[in-house]
Amino acid sequence: RKKGEIDKAISIHESLLDQEKVDLSSFDREMIELELAQDFMSAGMLERALDPLSGLLKSEHANEALAMTLHIYEQTREWQKGIDAYLNTKASAISDKNRQLISHFYCEIAEAPDPAKNKESVYKRALKVHSDCIRSLVSLAKLYLVLNQKQKSRELIVKILDKDPNF
């Protein structure tokens, strides 16, 4: 793959997974599936990359699989599918970076021009996932200003200043 021979890398990884003669540990098999997903992503076949990744969301490689899955959904702007993948992942394996990205996915959903969405609850879900998400705090503070709930907005602004004074 590093030499630009993506089709050859895909072929090698698929054949390793298909061979029943090769006795692979579950750890090695999962590593090969991660590499295969990376091959597909490098080739621009994002949908095919999701197949091996979906089975890895509850494995030892859950965090790596989730990071790759979120990257795909970020590129395709499928925020809800990314959130669903996050919800199907083993919670103990999720890194802070992935939680932060999911928080931004929730913000993207809240900022979509869909009047049926309760923006306040979506921003609060974003904060449940990653409590330090400045974007969620700022958006929620702006929403409270629009709703004429100035005290709540003021409290969030103070919280933002406590978390990130440079902001």
Side-chain angles (χ1 to χ4, degrees):
R1 182 174 62 230
K2 290 178 184 174
K3 294 179 182 178
E5 298 179 26
I6 297 169
D7 54 338
K8 191 172 184 178
I10 291 172
S11 175
I12 290 170
H13 289 125
E14 283 181 333
S15 67
L16 280 173
L17 289 173
D18 288 341
Q19 288 184 6
E20 295 173 11
K21 295 177 185 174
V22 179
D23 188 26
L24 295 172
S25 67
S26 63
F27 184 85
D28 290 338
R29 180 171 288 286
E30 290 168 2
M31 283 301 297
I32 294 169
E33 288 175 345
L34 276 175
E35 291 296 323
L36 180 61
Q38 186 63 48
D39 296 339
F40 286 134
M41 287 176 67
S42 295
M45 296 187 274
L46 301 180
E47 291 296 320
R48 289 214 39 209
L50 289 171
D51 291 337
L53 291 173
S54 62
L56 297 173
L57 293 176
K58 297 212 184 279
S59 71
E60 292 180 50
H61 299 92
N63 190 54
E64 296 92 346
L66 181 62
M68 292 170 71
T69 301
L70 294 179
H71 179 70
I72 291 170
Y73 288 133
E74 184 178 24
Q75 286 182 323
T76 59
R77 304 180 62 85
E78 295 177 279
W79 315 118
Q80 188 59 51
K81 287 184 180 181
I83 291 169
D84 294 341
Y86 160 78
L87 294 173
N88 289 327
T89 304
K90 188 168 59 170
S92 61
I94 301 172
S95 70
D96 192 52
K97 183 178 178 183
N98 284 337
R99 289 182 194 284
Q100 187 176 10
L101 188 55
I102 286 297
S103 184
H104 286 288
F105 279 28
Y106 275 116
C107 289
E108 288 291 337
I109 288 173
E111 292 166 7
D114 186 0
K117 295 259 187 245
N118 183 354
K119 294 180 184 299
E120 181 182 9
S121 67
V122 177
Y123 287 130
K124 286 182 177 181
R125 272 189 257 148
L127 289 169
K128 278 185 182 177
V129 171
H130 192 262
S131 61
D132 293 338
C133 182
I134 300 297
R135 179 182 180 186
S136 302
L137 291 169
V138 169
S139 298
L140 195 53
K142 286 179 182 178
L143 180 65
Y144 284 146
L145 278 177
V146 169
L147 298 174
N148 205 22
Q149 296 178 0
K150 293 179 178 152
Q151 182 59 34
K152 285 184 177 181
S153 180
R154 196 173 300 122
E155 290 170 6
L156 286 175
I157 291 170
V158 169
K159 193 174 184 178
I160 292 166
L161 290 172
D162 288 342
K163 289 187 183 290
D164 190 358
N166 293 328
F167 188 80

